[in-house]
Amino acid sequence: MILRSSKPSPFGRKVKIGAVLCGIHLDIEWADTTDPTDSVRRQNPLGKIPVLLPEGGTPIFDSPVILEYLDGVAGGGVILPAPGPARIQALVGQALADGLMDAALLQVYEVRFRSEEQRTPAWIDNQAGKVARALKVLESAPPAKAATSSGIDVAEIATACALGYLDLRFEGGWRADHPALVDWLDAFAARVPAFEATRA
């Protein structure tokens, strides 16, 4: 299977870590979402990454769907709990972390793709507020820690990738006010070598 992604993408990192935990090898093929000639726009009409290309199958996107697919290929119950309250909790945790990543990415894109006079401070502040509120919730209740890497679910993977992205693009400014999350991320990195291995 081929994963179309970019090296710094936190959503692509989610998939790479999930694949390792599921025992599935992925060939990584970098994509440029800003290039209109890149085939990623045919693989995902939205032109977004990540996209998984199963051998002989239809492209799968985006990261939550890809992780569900990989969990199924691995036999189920590896990174997604069985249907029930634990699964819903894991999916909600993933959605919170994904939303944090979306808001952080939008702040980066505002600076990268818009000139200074085009930027809207109120809009940037709105995205920053989403990140701050998500961090506050996660600080008060970090995802449950699995004792070993075999018990890690999509909420933990997504949260680790969200925090890693804040380290990459925002110089770890979140760390000073979120000591419980710092401890949680250190523990995750110790349990999941793929986290360090997928660092941009």
Side-chain angles (χ1 to χ4, degrees):
M1 288 187 279
I2 296 171
L3 179 70
R4 301 297 314 280
S5 188
S6 71
K7 195 166 187 180
S9 168
F11 297 101
R13 190 180 192 185
K14 273 178 61 183
V15 173
K16 288 181 272 186
I17 292 170
V20 170
L21 294 174
C22 287
I24 296 170
H25 172 76
L26 298 179
D27 291 318
I28 310 299
E29 191 176 284
W30 303 126
D32 182 354
T33 58
T34 65
D35 179 0
T37 67
D38 194 305
S39 59
V40 72
R41 296 188 181 193
R42 293 190 300 276
Q43 294 152 354
N44 176 356
L46 302 174
K48 297 174 68 175
I49 53 174
V51 180
L52 184 70
L53 307 176
E55 190 172 356
T58 302
I60 299 170
F61 53 87
D62 53 7
S63 64
V65 182
I66 296 171
L67 289 180
E68 181 148 0
Y69 175 80
L70 294 176
D71 186 74
V73 170
V78 180
I79 55 174
L80 271 166
R87 185 183 184 93
I88 296 301
Q89 183 178 1
L91 292 173
V92 169
Q94 177 179 223
L96 178 64
D98 283 357
L100 191 164
M101 287 188 275
D102 275 330
L105 275 165
L106 289 173
Q107 292 176 74
V108 171
Y109 289 167
E110 181 76 359
V111 174
R112 183 179 298 166
F113 297 116
R114 292 168 67 88
S115 63
E116 191 166 352
E117 62 272 13
Q118 292 176 317
R119 295 173 198 161
T120 308
W123 188 88
I124 295 173
D125 288 345
N126 185 40
Q127 303 308 320
K130 296 175 186 179
V131 172
R133 292 191 300 274
L135 286 172
K136 182 177 181 180
V137 169
L138 290 166
E139 174 70 10
S140 65
K145 285 191 254 186
T148 65
S149 62
S150 63
I152 287 169
D153 66 25
V154 293
E156 285 196 86
I157 297 168
T159 300
C161 292
L163 299 177
Y165 188 73
L166 294 180
D167 280 341
L168 176 67
R169 296 299 191 206
F170 295 85
E171 300 177 345
W174 64 276
R175 289 175 171 267
D177 296 326
H178 303 91
L181 270 182
V182 171
D183 290 345
W184 179 88
L185 185 60
D186 288 345
F188 181 91
R191 288 176 293 143
V192 185
F195 182 68
E196 181 61 33
T198 55
R199 188 182 299 276

